[in-house]
PDB file of all heavy atoms in Angstrom:
ATOM      1  N   ILE A   1      42.767  36.747 147.022  1.00 98.00           N
ATOM      2  CA  ILE A   1      42.032  35.511 147.274  1.00 98.00           C
ATOM      3  C   ILE A   1      41.423  35.040 145.962  1.00 98.00           C
ATOM      4  O   ILE A   1      40.679  35.781 145.312  1.00 98.00           O
ATOM      5  CB  ILE A   1      40.919  35.723 148.320  1.00 98.00           C
ATOM      6  CG1 ILE A   1      41.499  36.377 149.587  1.00 98.00           C
ATOM      7  CG2 ILE A   1      40.252  34.405 148.671  1.00 98.00           C
ATOM      8  CD1 ILE A   1      40.460  37.039 150.453  1.00 98.00           C
ATOM      9  N   VAL A   2      41.725  33.804 145.575  1.00 98.00           N
ATOM     10  CA  VAL A   2      41.231  33.231 144.319  1.00 98.00           C
ATOM     11  C   VAL A   2      40.326  32.051 144.654  1.00 98.00           C
ATOM     12  O   VAL A   2      40.701  31.157 145.420  1.00 98.00           O
ATOM     13  CB  VAL A   2      42.392  32.774 143.420  1.00 98.00           C
ATOM     14  CG1 VAL A   2      41.867  32.168 142.123  1.00 98.00           C
ATOM     15  CG2 VAL A   2      43.317  33.949 143.121  1.00 98.00           C
ATOM     16  N   VAL A   3      39.129  32.047 144.061  1.00 98.00           N
ATOM     17  CA  VAL A   3      38.136  30.996 144.292  1.00 98.00           C
ATOM     18  C   VAL A   3      37.643  30.488 142.945  1.00 98.00           C
ATOM     19  O   VAL A   3      37.828  31.134 141.909  1.00 98.00           O
ATOM     20  CB  VAL A   3      36.959  31.524 145.139  1.00 98.00           C
ATOM     21  CG1 VAL A   3      37.421  31.857 146.555  1.00 98.00           C
ATOM     22  CG2 VAL A   3      36.314  32.751 144.489  1.00 98.00           C
ATOM     23  N   PRO A   4      36.975  29.317 142.912  1.00 96.00           N
ATOM     24  CA  PRO A   4      36.632  28.720 141.614  1.00 96.00           C
ATOM     25  C   PRO A   4      35.527  29.418 140.840  1.00 96.00           C
ATOM     26  O   PRO A   4      35.548  29.427 139.614  1.00 96.00           O
ATOM     27  CB  PRO A   4      36.202  27.285 141.989  1.00 96.00           C
ATOM     28  CG  PRO A   4      36.796  27.032 143.326  1.00 96.00           C
ATOM     29  CD  PRO A   4      36.799  28.359 144.018  1.00 96.00           C
ATOM     30  N   ASP A   5      34.518  29.977 141.514  1.00 93.00           N
ATOM     31  CA  ASP A   5      33.365  30.474 140.753  1.00 93.00           C
ATOM     32  C   ASP A   5      32.726  31.686 141.427  1.00 93.00           C
ATOM     33  O   ASP A   5      33.116  32.109 142.513  1.00 93.00           O
ATOM     34  CB  ASP A   5      32.323  29.364 140.548  1.00 93.00           C
ATOM     35  CG  ASP A   5      31.913  28.702 141.857  1.00 93.00           C
ATOM     36  OD1 ASP A   5      31.735  29.413 142.854  1.00 93.00           O
ATOM     37  OD2 ASP A   5      31.780  27.464 141.888  1.00 93.00           O
ATOM     38  N   GLN A   6      31.702  32.213 140.749  1.00 93.00           N
ATOM     39  CA  GLN A   6      31.038  33.427 141.214  1.00 93.00           C
ATOM     40  C   GLN A   6      30.340  33.214 142.545  1.00 93.00           C
ATOM     41  O   GLN A   6      30.273  34.134 143.379  1.00 93.00           O
ATOM     42  CB  GLN A   6      30.025  33.890 140.156  1.00 93.00           C
ATOM     43  CG  GLN A   6      29.364  35.220 140.467  1.00 93.00           C
ATOM     44  CD  GLN A   6      30.336  36.385 140.446  1.00 93.00           C
ATOM     45  OE1 GLN A   6      31.120  36.517 139.508  1.00 93.00           O
ATOM     46  NE2 GLN A   6      30.282  37.245 141.459  1.00 93.00           N
ATOM     47  N   ARG A   7      29.804  32.020 142.778  1.00 92.00           N
ATOM     48  CA  ARG A   7      29.143  31.762 144.061  1.00 92.00           C
ATOM     49  C   ARG A   7      30.103  31.954 145.218  1.00 92.00           C
ATOM     50  O   ARG A   7      29.753  32.534 146.253  1.00 92.00           O
ATOM     51  CB  ARG A   7      28.582  30.328 144.097  1.00 92.00           C
ATOM     52  CG  ARG A   7      27.421  30.069 143.165  1.00 92.00           C
ATOM     53  CD  ARG A   7      26.979  28.622 143.275  1.00 92.00           C
ATOM     54  NE  ARG A   7      26.392  28.342 144.577  1.00 92.00           N
ATOM     55  CZ  ARG A   7      26.179  27.117 145.049  1.00 92.00           C
ATOM     56  NH1 ARG A   7      26.553  26.070 144.350  1.00 92.00           N
ATOM     57  NH2 ARG A   7      25.625  26.949 146.225  1.00 92.00           N
ATOM     58  N   ASP A   8      31.326  31.478 145.063  1.00 95.00           N
ATOM     59  CA  ASP A   8      32.317  31.632 146.123  1.00 95.00           C
ATOM     60  C   ASP A   8      32.738  33.092 146.277  1.00 95.00           C
ATOM     61  O   ASP A   8      32.992  33.562 147.392  1.00 95.00           O
ATOM     62  CB  ASP A   8      33.535  30.759 145.835  1.00 95.00           C
ATOM     63  CG  ASP A   8      33.231  29.278 145.945  1.00 95.00           C
ATOM     64  OD1 ASP A   8      32.381  28.908 146.773  1.00 95.00           O
ATOM     65  OD2 ASP A   8      33.835  28.489 145.190  1.00 95.00           O
ATOM     66  N   VAL A   9      32.828  33.816 145.161  1.00 97.00           N
ATOM     67  CA  VAL A   9      33.134  35.244 145.229  1.00 97.00           C
ATOM     68  C   VAL A   9      32.061  35.967 146.033  1.00 97.00           C
ATOM     69  O   VAL A   9      32.359  36.781 146.917  1.00 97.00           O
ATOM     70  CB  VAL A   9      33.255  35.853 143.816  1.00 97.00           C
ATOM     71  CG1 VAL A   9      33.361  37.378 143.889  1.00 97.00           C
ATOM     72  CG2 VAL A   9      34.463  35.288 143.096  1.00 97.00           C
ATOM     73  N   ASP A  10      30.799  35.668 145.730  1.00 95.00           N
ATOM     74  CA  ASP A  10      29.687  36.322 146.436  1.00 95.00           C
ATOM     75  C   ASP A  10      29.700  35.978 147.922  1.00 95.00           C
ATOM     76  O   ASP A  10      29.452  36.844 148.772  1.00 95.00           O
ATOM     77  CB  ASP A  10      28.353  35.894 145.815  1.00 95.00           C
ATOM     78  CG  ASP A  10      28.197  36.372 144.381  1.00 95.00           C
ATOM     79  OD1 ASP A  10      28.916  37.318 143.996  1.00 95.00           O
ATOM     80  OD2 ASP A  10      27.375  35.791 143.648  1.00 95.00           O
ATOM     81  N   SER A  11      29.982  34.719 148.241  1.00 94.00           N
ATOM     82  CA  SER A  11      30.013  34.293 149.640  1.00 94.00           C
ATOM     83  C   SER A  11      31.113  35.022 150.408  1.00 94.00           C
ATOM     84  O   SER A  11      30.898  35.514 151.527  1.00 94.00           O
ATOM     85  CB  SER A  11      30.229  32.782 149.716  1.00 94.00           C
ATOM     86  OG  SER A  11      30.345  32.344 151.050  1.00 94.00           O
ATOM     87  N   LEU A  12      32.285  35.110 149.817  1.00 97.00           N
ATOM     88  CA  LEU A  12      33.403  35.776 150.482  1.00 97.00           C
ATOM     89  C   LEU A  12      33.172  37.284 150.580  1.00 97.00           C
ATOM     90  O   LEU A  12      33.479  37.911 151.604  1.00 97.00           O
ATOM     91  CB  LEU A  12      34.695  35.486 149.720  1.00 97.00           C
ATOM     92  CG  LEU A  12      35.992  36.007 150.342  1.00 97.00           C
ATOM     93  CD1 LEU A  12      36.160  35.490 151.760  1.00 97.00           C
ATOM     94  CD2 LEU A  12      37.177  35.591 149.490  1.00 97.00           C
ATOM     95  N   GLU A  13      32.612  37.851 149.528  1.00 97.00           N
ATOM     96  CA  GLU A  13      32.340  39.291 149.546  1.00 97.00           C
ATOM     97  C   GLU A  13      31.352  39.644 150.654  1.00 97.00           C
ATOM     98  O   GLU A  13      31.500  40.661 151.343  1.00 97.00           O
ATOM     99  CB  GLU A  13      31.808  39.745 148.182  1.00 97.00           C
ATOM    100  CG  GLU A  13      31.687  41.247 148.035  1.00 97.00           C
ATOM    101  CD  GLU A  13      31.250  41.672 146.645  1.00 97.00           C
ATOM    102  OE1 GLU A  13      30.795  40.809 145.873  1.00 97.00           O
ATOM    103  OE2 GLU A  13      31.353  42.865 146.342  1.00 97.00           O
ATOM    104  N   ALA A  14      30.343  38.781 150.857  1.00 96.00           N
ATOM    105  CA  ALA A  14      29.373  39.018 151.924  1.00 96.00           C
ATOM    106  C   ALA A  14      30.039  39.003 153.296  1.00 96.00           C
ATOM    107  O   ALA A  14      29.704  39.812 154.176  1.00 96.00           O
ATOM    108  CB  ALA A  14      28.260  37.969 151.859  1.00 96.00           C
ATOM    109  N   GLN A  15      30.987  38.099 153.500  1.00 97.00           N
ATOM    110  CA  GLN A  15      31.697  38.046 154.780  1.00 97.00           C
ATOM    111  C   GLN A  15      32.628  39.248 154.951  1.00 97.00           C
ATOM    112  O   GLN A  15      32.761  39.796 156.050  1.00 97.00           O
ATOM    113  CB  GLN A  15      32.501  36.746 154.869  1.00 97.00           C
ATOM    114  CG  GLN A  15      31.646  35.491 154.982  1.00 97.00           C
ATOM    115  CD  GLN A  15      30.819  35.473 156.257  1.00 97.00           C
ATOM    116  OE1 GLN A  15      31.279  35.858 157.328  1.00 97.00           O
ATOM    117  NE2 GLN A  15      29.582  35.018 156.138  1.00 97.00           N
ATOM    118  N   LEU A  16      33.263  39.670 153.875  1.00 97.00           N
ATOM    119  CA  LEU A  16      34.161  40.824 153.963  1.00 97.00           C
ATOM    120  C   LEU A  16      33.405  42.101 154.309  1.00 97.00           C
ATOM    121  O   LEU A  16      33.918  42.965 155.044  1.00 97.00           O
ATOM    122  CB  LEU A  16      34.914  41.000 152.646  1.00 97.00           C
ATOM    123  CG  LEU A  16      36.083  40.054 152.392  1.00 97.00           C
ATOM    124  CD1 LEU A  16      36.514  40.107 150.932  1.00 97.00           C
ATOM    125  CD2 LEU A  16      37.266  40.407 153.302  1.00 97.00           C
ATOM    126  N   LYS A  17      32.187  42.221 153.806  1.00 97.00           N
ATOM    127  CA  LYS A  17      31.401  43.430 154.066  1.00 97.00           C
ATOM    128  C   LYS A  17      31.025  43.581 155.536  1.00 97.00           C
ATOM    129  O   LYS A  17      30.603  44.664 155.960  1.00 97.00           O
ATOM    130  CB  LYS A  17      30.143  43.431 153.200  1.00 97.00           C
ATOM    131  CG  LYS A  17      30.413  43.719 151.734  1.00 97.00           C
ATOM    132  CD  LYS A  17      29.141  43.679 150.907  1.00 97.00           C
ATOM    133  CE  LYS A  17      29.434  43.983 149.446  1.00 97.00           C
ATOM    134  NZ  LYS A  17      28.205  43.893 148.605  1.00 97.00           N
ATOM    135  N   LYS A  18      31.185  42.510 156.302  1.00 96.00           N
ATOM    136  CA  LYS A  18      30.910  42.602 157.742  1.00 96.00           C
ATOM    137  C   LYS A  18      32.024  43.321 158.495  1.00 96.00           C
ATOM    138  O   LYS A  18      31.814  43.776 159.623  1.00 96.00           O
ATOM    139  CB  LYS A  18      30.714  41.203 158.320  1.00 96.00           C
ATOM    140  CG  LYS A  18      29.488  40.461 157.781  1.00 96.00           C
ATOM    141  CD  LYS A  18      29.375  39.078 158.386  1.00 96.00           C
ATOM    142  CE  LYS A  18      28.161  38.337 157.847  1.00 96.00           C
ATOM    143  NZ  LYS A  18      28.030  36.972 158.426  1.00 96.00           N
ATOM    144  N   VAL A  19      33.215  43.411 157.876  1.00 96.00           N
ATOM    145  CA  VAL A  19      34.354  44.021 158.573  1.00 96.00           C
ATOM    146  C   VAL A  19      34.963  45.198 157.821  1.00 96.00           C
ATOM    147  O   VAL A  19      35.671  46.009 158.421  1.00 96.00           O
ATOM    148  CB  VAL A  19      35.450  42.964 158.865  1.00 96.00           C
ATOM    149  CG1 VAL A  19      35.008  42.033 159.967  1.00 96.00           C
ATOM    150  CG2 VAL A  19      35.815  42.177 157.614  1.00 96.00           C
ATOM    151  N   VAL A  20      34.728  45.297 156.504  1.00 97.00           N
ATOM    152  CA  VAL A  20      35.259  46.435 155.739  1.00 97.00           C
ATOM    153  C   VAL A  20      34.139  47.019 154.889  1.00 97.00           C
ATOM    154  O   VAL A  20      33.091  46.388 154.678  1.00 97.00           O
ATOM    155  CB  VAL A  20      36.448  46.024 154.834  1.00 97.00           C
ATOM    156  CG1 VAL A  20      37.587  45.484 155.661  1.00 97.00           C
ATOM    157  CG2 VAL A  20      36.013  45.010 153.788  1.00 97.00           C
ATOM    158  N   GLY A  21      34.359  48.210 154.392  1.00 95.00           N
ATOM    159  CA  GLY A  21      33.365  48.850 153.547  1.00 95.00           C
ATOM    160  C   GLY A  21      33.288  48.211 152.174  1.00 95.00           C
ATOM    161  O   GLY A  21      34.279  47.654 151.680  1.00 95.00           O
ATOM    162  N   PRO A  22      32.121  48.295 151.507  1.00 95.00           N
ATOM    163  CA  PRO A  22      31.968  47.675 150.180  1.00 95.00           C
ATOM    164  C   PRO A  22      32.990  48.167 149.160  1.00 95.00           C
ATOM    165  O   PRO A  22      33.462  47.395 148.329  1.00 95.00           O
ATOM    166  CB  PRO A  22      30.543  48.072 149.776  1.00 95.00           C
ATOM    167  CG  PRO A  22      29.839  48.350 151.062  1.00 95.00           C
ATOM    168  CD  PRO A  22      30.880  48.905 151.989  1.00 95.00           C
ATOM    169  N   ARG A  23      33.371  49.434 149.227  1.00 95.00           N
ATOM    170  CA  ARG A  23      34.328  49.984 148.263  1.00 95.00           C
ATOM    171  C   ARG A  23      35.757  49.563 148.574  1.00 95.00           C
ATOM    172  O   ARG A  23      36.663  49.790 147.763  1.00 95.00           O
ATOM    173  CB  ARG A  23      34.234  51.508 148.231  1.00 95.00           C
ATOM    174  CG  ARG A  23      32.907  52.044 147.704  1.00 95.00           C
ATOM    175  CD  ARG A  23      32.919  53.556 147.683  1.00 95.00           C
ATOM    176  NE  ARG A  23      33.954  54.085 146.808  1.00 95.00           N
ATOM    177  CZ  ARG A  23      34.480  55.296 146.920  1.00 95.00           C
ATOM    178  NH1 ARG A  23      34.098  56.108 147.911  1.00 95.00           N
ATOM    179  NH2 ARG A  23      35.415  55.715 146.077  1.00 95.00           N
ATOM    180  N   GLN A  24      35.963  48.963 149.745  1.00 97.00           N
ATOM    181  CA  GLN A  24      37.292  48.490 150.100  1.00 97.00           C
ATOM    182  C   GLN A  24      37.545  47.066 149.610  1.00 97.00           C
ATOM    183  O   GLN A  24      38.598  46.501 149.880  1.00 97.00           O
ATOM    184  CB  GLN A  24      37.470  48.571 151.621  1.00 97.00           C
ATOM    185  CG  GLN A  24      37.516  50.001 152.141  1.00 97.00           C
ATOM    186  CD  GLN A  24      37.613  50.054 153.655  1.00 97.00           C
ATOM    187  OE1 GLN A  24      36.864  49.385 154.371  1.00 97.00           O
ATOM    188  NE2 GLN A  24      38.540  50.852 154.153  1.00 97.00           N
ATOM    189  N   ILE A  25      36.570  46.514 148.910  1.00 97.00           N
ATOM    190  CA  ILE A  25      36.689  45.164 148.342  1.00 97.00           C
ATOM    191  C   ILE A  25      36.722  45.289 146.828  1.00 97.00           C
ATOM    192  O   ILE A  25      35.840  45.908 146.227  1.00 97.00           O
ATOM    193  CB  ILE A  25      35.497  44.274 148.754  1.00 97.00           C
ATOM    194  CG1 ILE A  25      35.315  44.296 150.273  1.00 97.00           C
ATOM    195  CG2 ILE A  25      35.691  42.847 148.262  1.00 97.00           C
ATOM    196  CD1 ILE A  25      33.970  43.758 150.716  1.00 97.00           C
ATOM    197  N   SER A  26      37.714  44.713 146.202  1.00 97.00           N
ATOM    198  CA  SER A  26      37.808  44.723 144.740  1.00 97.00           C
ATOM    199  C   SER A  26      37.638  43.295 144.229  1.00 97.00           C
ATOM    200  O   SER A  26      38.374  42.397 144.639  1.00 97.00           O
ATOM    201  CB  SER A  26      39.167  45.272 144.277  1.00 97.00           C
ATOM    202  OG  SER A  26      39.309  46.617 144.664  1.00 97.00           O
ATOM    203  N   THR A  27      36.669  43.107 143.343  1.00 97.00           N
ATOM    204  CA  THR A  27      36.439  41.782 142.763  1.00 97.00           C
ATOM    205  C   THR A  27      36.861  41.782 141.300  1.00 97.00           C
ATOM    206  O   THR A  27      36.688  42.774 140.585  1.00 97.00           O
ATOM    207  CB  THR A  27      34.957  41.378 142.868  1.00 97.00           C
ATOM    208  OG1 THR A  27      34.135  42.354 142.216  1.00 97.00           O
ATOM    209  CG2 THR A  27      34.532  41.265 144.328  1.00 97.00           C
ATOM    210  N   LEU A  28      37.412  40.657 140.869  1.00 96.00           N
ATOM    211  CA  LEU A  28      37.836  40.480 139.474  1.00 96.00           C
ATOM    212  C   LEU A  28      37.274  39.160 138.972  1.00 96.00           C
ATOM    213  O   LEU A  28      37.747  38.084 139.362  1.00 96.00           O
ATOM    214  CB  LEU A  28      39.358  40.470 139.370  1.00 96.00           C
ATOM    215  CG  LEU A  28      40.090  41.808 139.372  1.00 96.00           C
ATOM    216  CD1 LEU A  28      41.591  41.590 139.460  1.00 96.00           C
ATOM    217  CD2 LEU A  28      39.757  42.606 138.118  1.00 96.00           C
ATOM    218  N   THR A  29      36.258  39.225 138.121  1.00 94.00           N
ATOM    219  CA  THR A  29      35.639  38.013 137.584  1.00 94.00           C
ATOM    220  C   THR A  29      35.322  38.205 136.109  1.00 94.00           C
ATOM    221  O   THR A  29      35.286  39.331 135.599  1.00 94.00           O
ATOM    222  CB  THR A  29      34.334  37.661 138.329  1.00 94.00           C
ATOM    223  OG1 THR A  29      33.331  38.634 138.016  1.00 94.00           O
ATOM    224  CG2 THR A  29      34.547  37.649 139.838  1.00 94.00           C
ATOM    225  N   SER A  30      35.061  37.098 135.432  1.00 86.00           N
ATOM    226  CA  SER A  30      34.730  37.151 134.005  1.00 86.00           C
ATOM    227  C   SER A  30      33.352  37.742 133.758  1.00 86.00           C
ATOM    228  O   SER A  30      33.032  38.132 132.630  1.00 86.00           O
ATOM    229  CB  SER A  30      34.788  35.741 133.406  1.00 86.00           C
ATOM    230  OG  SER A  30      33.890  34.874 134.073  1.00 86.00           O
ATOM    231  N   ALA A  31      32.505  37.810 134.799  1.00 87.00           N
ATOM    232  CA  ALA A  31      31.159  38.351 134.633  1.00 87.00           C
ATOM    233  C   ALA A  31      31.163  39.866 134.501  1.00 87.00           C
ATOM    234  O   ALA A  31      30.164  40.455 134.080  1.00 87.00           O
ATOM    235  CB  ALA A  31      30.277  37.923 135.812  1.00 87.00           C
ATOM    236  N   GLN A  32      32.261  40.512 134.855  1.00 92.00           N
ATOM    237  CA  GLN A  32      32.329  41.969 134.791  1.00 92.00           C
ATOM    238  C   GLN A  32      32.595  42.440 133.365  1.00 92.00           C
ATOM    239  O   GLN A  32      33.194  41.734 132.561  1.00 92.00           O
ATOM    240  CB  GLN A  32      33.439  42.472 135.720  1.00 92.00           C
ATOM    241  CG  GLN A  32      33.181  42.193 137.188  1.00 92.00           C
ATOM    242  CD  GLN A  32      34.414  42.384 138.038  1.00 92.00           C
ATOM    243  OE1 GLN A  32      35.539  42.356 137.544  1.00 92.00           O
ATOM    244  NE2 GLN A  32      34.215  42.577 139.333  1.00 92.00           N
TER     245      GLN A  32
END
């Protein structure tokens, strides 16, 4: 899933954490 900015990454990550574990989500952003 590709989104324009960090705000969208955070929003999607919050929704994913409702159904999968935090370690089951991998994020790739320039802030890392």
Side-chain angles (χ1 to χ4, degrees):
I1 308 160
V2 179
V3 293
D5 53 41
Q6 186 66 48
R7 291 179 68 195
D8 292 327
V9 171
D10 295 340
S11 176
L12 185 56
E13 188 176 14
Q15 292 297 320
L16 283 166
K17 287 179 179 178
K18 295 179 180 180
V19 287
V20 299
R23 294 181 61 203
Q24 292 177 312
I25 308 165
S26 296
T27 58
L28 279 172
T29 69
S30 59
Q32 295 166 339

